[in-house]
Amino acid sequence: AAATRDYLELIKRIPDSPETVRAYMALAEFAIDANKHADAIKYLSEIEKRPESPHYPFALYKLAWSHFNLKQVEFALFYTERHVRYYERQETRGSSHADAALRENMLLDSTVFYFEGYEQKLPQFAISEAMPFFRKLDSSVILGKMALRFARLLRSHGYDADLIAWKDQMLTSESSRPE
């Protein structure tokens, strides 16, 4: 509570301080830990306004998850795509292996987000639309991992008929992938 008060005071008194972004990130972490994702989104949105900050990609990642935790699948996937595109831009500038790992992790998380939309029975998250959506995010070897993770989600939640439809779709459109 004391740290929250101090960070809020810093943001209020010195909004242009180099420490402001770190304060917003800390406040977002406190909110996430307290399961107050709407508050976390408020703080992370302030970091989102600062794409030059090294905290920016982490804010996008946490925005995706905070929206997911609020069952706001469309926003979760919106931030997923922004996060993935951020690292694609970094690749053209010479990114690190860590950047590639962070991007891959977000791509794999996208299957969880998409699956939530599917379970909510939102029409834009039909099985037939999953692969085009995943392919829009990535068409490299990671796409095969995404397809496999999505299949595992279908199987683990007992969606046998849709798992068969997914398998048939994969055999038709992605049969060359080892997965």
Side-chain angles (χ1 to χ4, degrees), residues 105-173:
N105 192 55
M106 184 86 271
L107 287 166
L108 293 173
D109 289 347
S110 73
T111 62
V112 175
F113 300 162
Y114 192 96
F115 185 77
E116 176 64 27
Y118 163 82
E119 282 206 304
Q120 288 181 21
K121 300 189 183 336
L122 300 173
Q124 66 270 37
F125 297 103
I127 293 295
S128 61
E129 298 302 315
M131 183 49 74
F133 177 78
F134 296 150
R135 196 179 289 119
K136 182 178 88 168
L137 290 176
D138 185 82
S139 60
S140 73
V141 296
I142 299 168
L143 180 61
K145 294 177 184 180
M146 294 164 69
L148 184 58
R149 178 174 275 190
F150 192 68
R152 287 180 176 153
L153 287 166
L154 290 168
R155 183 184 67 214
S156 67
H157 289 254
Y159 294 108
D160 297 338
D162 284 336
L163 177 60
I164 292 168
W166 180 249
K167 174 204 52 118
D168 292 343
Q169 187 179 348
M170 292 299 90
L171 291 174
T172 302
S173 67

Side-chain angles (χ1 to χ4, degrees), residues 25-43:
M25 200 67 171
L27 289 166
E29 284 295 325
F30 296 158
I32 290 167
D33 290 345
N35 204 25
K36 295 180 178 180
H37 296 285
D39 289 344
I41 290 168
K42 178 178 69 172
Y43 299 129

